Amino acid sequence: MIDRERSRVRKGRHHAVTVTLAGLVITGMLAGAFPVAAALAEEPRQGIETAPPLTATITEKAPPEVEARIEQVTGVIRSLYPEFAYLQRKETVRRNGIRRPDGIETEQEEWRLFFDDQPREAPKKEEGAYNQALMVFDTSGNLLSFRWQNPDWAGTALPDSDLAKKKATAFLDRLLGDGAKVYRAGRAGQTETRAAVNEAGKKLAWVRRTVHFDRAINGIPCVDCGGEEWEVAVDGSGRIVGLKRRNGATPDEALFPDPAKAISPVAAKGAFSERLQMVLTYQPQEYLNREPGVVFQHLLPGRQPVLLTYQTGGAIGPIDALTGKPLWESGAEVSKPEKLLRLSGQGKSIEAKDPQAAERVIETVFGIDMSGMAFVDPLFRKRETPAAPFAKMFQWVDKKPGGTRFITMETESDTGRVCGYSLEAVRTGEQQPAQENKKGVAIPVEEAKKKALRVLQQFLPARAVEMNLLEPSAEPTKYPDWVDRSKLPKDSLDSPNHEFYFIPVHQGVPIESIQWSVFIDKRTGNVSGFNYQAVDFDQLPVKSGLISPEQAKAASLAKVDLRLVYIWPDYLDQKAPRPVLVYKPEYRQRGVIDARSGKFIPYDRDE
């Protein structure tokens, strides 16, 4: 399904295929151990590979100054973890990698070292779980990244944020010495789970939490302002299992506002509280208390009893520390007005339990010619599937000469009911989809809206259904005054689709985490995207015995801290002329408030 994210912000949504393509890449990395071929191509922001993966052991000799730094780093790790002594350095390779200092893609040479505990005469393993580590250094011998996967360390629970920050800080102090004093531990909400199967066929899983370290200016952390930053990954036992260093030019400190002019934390908390609104919503339990670190659960919402909850309304961003007013660091603001609709559903049961049935639905319901499309087996099928009902995926690619189409359909695994569909144009390099090269809008928005409603009506239950329609705004997008519109990518200025989003409503309460959507191609009038999640309206709880919004706000505020930081706003690779001093909300745990008990319910367990 498209966009299963909790409490979705009503702008900047993506098509199902966008999620799907990202999922295919991520799944490929998380499905197993990191053999050297995969490991050498995995660092997405610091080392995207331009050379083919290695297929044989290659060892080069690094210069003495680089070797000295390598020995210093490995010595620190060995002193903390004796297990590292069992690893042998198998490969030392100098090759090009792509790094992005200050967001600018730059190709630079680097040294990559691969370690494992396998006999030197053993053939190289491309899959499986064994003790292995990867280190990347720049040509001056500065450590860029490190990752270690030890089968003996699998199976731990996720560390809490406090433990992760404590262990990550101690490690960075040991690694950098006095150089660590200019960094401040910040967010620690990023979690990850990796899995692999050992030689005995046993499935192993590793979890880790990543702590981000920001450079301090005037004693204040500078979040994503440029300069050097670190990320340190910690496992459930407090061991350091990964690290990344992000390089960038040190910013001019004269541009940074004086923190002595900031309003007090109490005043900032008051300003934040004043703009915080609590909205009564229905919330599927499938989106609550989720297992942390799992990338794709794909569970179908609404199969468990739905809860009445309060959640924060709108995007709650930073507070300008000098004025106490809201600061929208996201850049552009997109207005999507809501309109309450009432539709009579047709109650059709549109199912597709196999690829052939799915192709027929795509042709008859969505009006797409499937000639020349070849079915492909998604990587998701090769992964362990949830026991609970989940979204099953079918995919096709265009095999015609010059074909660029990519089609995805999702169905409920137990019933076969269609719940998602997407038609996208595949891009290769600088190639743009044909529809984006056409000028003008062939399909008026009102005509597209009528078609979107006709498609949705087929899937709605045979009853009157209320929903909020979020339709495309006629108002032009608003950008900060420092954004040069002529430099914006075409995609950001004009979507190739008319996009309609629908939020189901019951008893006047939105089912906020269930979203229906229909996308209509502006040029062809074809349905290019669809998302539908079934709702049993008769089983939704009645709106009675609820706490007040004020009580819910107090419970929500107890989970958020305001951190005084510098940020440097940017928008699609354009940067504001100077940084801003803000109080940034940092949630100790994200979630909703039970509208009856007033208790906090997290989105993710142990987040």
Side-chain angles (χ1 to χ4, degrees):
M1 284 172 283
I2 306 168
D3 246 340
R4 290 184 190 79
E5 290 301 317
R6 54 189 180 251
S7 308
R8 299 171 182 82
V9 177
R10 298 172 183 176
K11 57 185 178 180
R13 292 183 174 93
H14 300 287
H15 300 264
V17 72
T18 306
V19 177
T20 300
L21 290 174
L24 291 175
V25 175
I26 295 174
T27 303
M29 293 193 299
L30 301 189
F34 59 97
V36 64
L40 291 174
E42 193 247 351
E43 302 293 337
R45 293 184 61 181
Q46 296 216 62
I48 295 177
E49 287 305 311
T50 55
L54 298 175
T55 56
T57 298
I58 300 174
T59 300
E60 302 177 39
K61 187 172 180 59
E65 62 272 16
V66 175
E67 281 293 341
R69 287 290 295 144
I70 290 173
E71 286 304 316
Q72 180 183 356
V73 171
T74 55
V76 168
I77 296 173
R78 194 177 295 112
S79 67
L80 294 172
Y81 308 112
E83 296 92 333
F84 197 81
Y86 294 100
L87 301 182
Q88 305 175 64
R89 194 203 302 188
K90 292 293 186 64
E91 295 183 352
T92 304
V93 182
R94 181 168 178 159
R95 61 192 307 167
N96 287 342
I98 295 178
R99 297 197 289 276
R100 293 173 174 82
D102 298 327
I104 301 173
E105 189 171 283
T106 305
E107 184 173 305
Q108 299 178 8
E109 285 192 333
E110 56 195 23
W111 287 95
R112 298 196 159 206
L113 283 64
F114 180 71
F115 303 77
D116 69 19
D117 63 352
Q118 303 299 296
R120 289 193 176 275
E121 64 276 9
K124 187 183 302 297
K125 296 182 179 181
E126 295 300 325
E127 294 183 359
Y130 57 100
N131 200 354
Q132 52 189 310
L134 173 72
M135 291 184 183
V136 182
F137 294 81
D138 66 18
T139 52
S140 297
N142 296 310
L143 179 65
L144 296 176
S145 67
F146 161 66
R147 194 171 82 241
W148 187 2
Q149 178 178 282
N150 186 340
D152 293 338
W153 295 353
T156 63
L158 187 71
D160 61 43
S161 296
D162 291 339
L163 173 65
K165 287 184 178 182
K166 177 181 177 181
K167 294 295 186 179
T169 300
F171 178 78
L172 208 60
D173 287 344
R174 185 76 176 269
L175 183 68
L176 302 181
D178 289 342
K181 295 179 180 179
V182 299
Y183 300 101
R184 300 290 185 274
R187 56 190 181 273
Q190 179 183 343
T191 61
E192 182 181 6
T193 298
R194 293 175 179 264
V197 178
N198 65 13
E199 293 180 346
K202 181 182 178 181
K203 182 178 179 180
L204 305 178
W206 296 263
V207 295
R208 66 185 194 176
R209 182 183 294 275
T210 297
V211 181
H212 191 98
F213 288 84
D214 303 298
R215 189 177 186 88
I217 294 178
N218 299 326
I220 305 298
C222 189
V223 179
D224 298 327
C225 292
E228 193 172 78
E229 302 170 354
W230 292 85
E231 292 179 353
V232 181
V234 184
D235 74 3
S237 296
R239 293 175 290 238
I240 306 305
V241 293
L243 176 144
K244 286 184 183 179
R245 173 191 177 201
R246 306 199 186 284
N247 293 325
T250 301
D252 182 0
E253 295 190 12
L255 295 174
F256 289 75
D258 183 357
K261 298 179 180 180
I263 63 175
S264 69
V266 173
K269 190 83 175 207
F272 182 81
S273 175
E274 183 178 347
R275 63 190 287 246
L276 180 65
Q277 296 182 341
M278 303 304 294
V279 179
L280 184 65
T281 66
Y282 287 105
Q283 181 75 26
Q285 289 195 59
E286 288 83 1
Y287 294 150
L288 302 173
N289 279 312
R290 301 186 301 187
E291 181 181 350
V294 176
V295 180
F296 289 95
Q297 292 192 1
H298 275 184
L299 299 182
L300 299 172
R303 299 303 182 92
Q304 301 178 47
V306 176
L307 302 178
L308 267 168
T309 67
Y310 283 102
Q311 62 186 47
T312 56
I316 309 300
I319 300 293
D320 189 309
L322 302 184
T323 67
K325 296 181 180 180
L327 179 80
W328 297 99
E329 68 170 334
S330 57
E333 295 179 16
V334 181
S335 174
K336 288 187 180 295
E338 292 188 11
K339 181 186 299 183
L340 184 63
L341 295 181
R342 180 185 290 263
L343 288 180
S344 296
Q346 298 177 5
K348 292 184 178 179
S349 179
I350 301 176
E351 300 177 357
K353 295 186 177 181
D354 54 53
Q356 295 75 27
E359 290 182 16
R360 290 193 294 270
V361 170
I362 292 172
E363 291 183 329
T364 59
V365 176
F366 300 113
I368 303 300
D369 180 8
M370 292 294 289
S371 61
M373 301 299 295
F375 176 73
V376 293
D377 196 19
L379 290 178
F380 290 107
R381 290 174 177 263
K382 298 175 175 61
R383 301 180 62 208
E384 185 174 327
T385 56
F390 64 97
K392 182 179 180 180
M393 183 180 297
F394 302 103
Q395 293 176 332
W396 297 261
V397 294
D398 199 338
K399 292 297 186 179
K400 292 184 295 187
T404 60
R405 294 186 301 168
F406 185 92
I407 294 177
T408 299
M409 174 168 281
E410 289 185 336
T411 64
E412 297 178 353
S413 62
D414 55 344
T415 68
R417 288 186 301 194
V418 174
C419 54
Y421 153 82
S422 178
L423 167 62
E424 291 276 341
V426 178
R427 305 183 189 199
T428 55
E430 297 299 319
Q431 177 187 359
Q432 297 292 316
Q435 64 190 41
E436 294 185 4
N437 295 327
K438 301 291 183 180
K439 294 184 178 180
V441 177
I443 308 299
V445 64
E446 283 302 316
E447 182 179 334
K449 177 180 173 181
K450 292 177 182 178
K451 182 168 185 176
L453 292 175
R454 288 197 301 270
V455 171
L456 181 62
Q457 260 182 310
Q458 300 176 71
F459 291 82
L460 295 176
R463 59 181 291 169
V465 179
E466 287 188 339
M467 66 195 73
N468 287 327
L469 166 62
L470 284 66
E471 56 186 332
S473 173
E475 298 295 324
T477 301
K478 298 177 183 178
Y479 297 95
D481 54 13
W482 46 266
V483 171
D484 185 344
R485 289 174 57 89
S486 67
K487 296 180 180 179
L488 292 174
K490 178 176 172 54
D491 286 359
S492 69
L493 297 173
D494 184 24
S495 168
N497 302 302
H498 291 300
E499 302 177 1
F500 302 93
Y501 299 92
F502 307 86
I503 306 296
V505 174
H506 182 65
Q507 301 181 108
V509 179
I511 311 174
E512 190 68 27
S513 292
I514 287 185
Q515 175 188 282
W516 305 329
S517 62
V518 183
F519 292 178
I520 305 297
D521 187 297
K522 291 179 179 178
R523 182 176 63 88
T524 65
N526 289 333
V527 179
S528 55
F530 172 77
N531 184 50
Y532 180 78
Q533 298 153 5
V535 177
D536 188 346
F537 291 93
D538 294 329
Q539 295 300 316
L540 296 178
V542 296
K543 192 171 60 172
S544 63
L546 309 181
I547 65 172
S548 68
E550 290 73 23
Q551 290 173 296
K553 177 187 283 194
S556 182
L557 286 172
K559 291 292 182 179
V560 64
D561 297 315
L562 293 181
R563 183 181 180 219
L564 186 64
V565 301
Y566 290 113
I567 63 172
W568 205 314
D570 65 350
Y571 187 75
L572 293 177
D573 295 333
Q574 294 190 50
K575 203 168 186 178
R578 61 181 59 248
V580 185
L581 183 64
V582 301
Y583 280 99
K584 186 177 182 181
E586 294 192 349
Y587 292 86
R588 292 193 291 276
Q589 202 169 23
R590 293 180 180 270
V592 298
I593 307 300
D594 189 303
R596 289 207 168 95
S597 68
K599 293 181 178 180
F600 178 82
I601 307 174
Y603 290 123
D604 296 313
R605 295 194 305 270
D606 300 321
E607 184 180 63

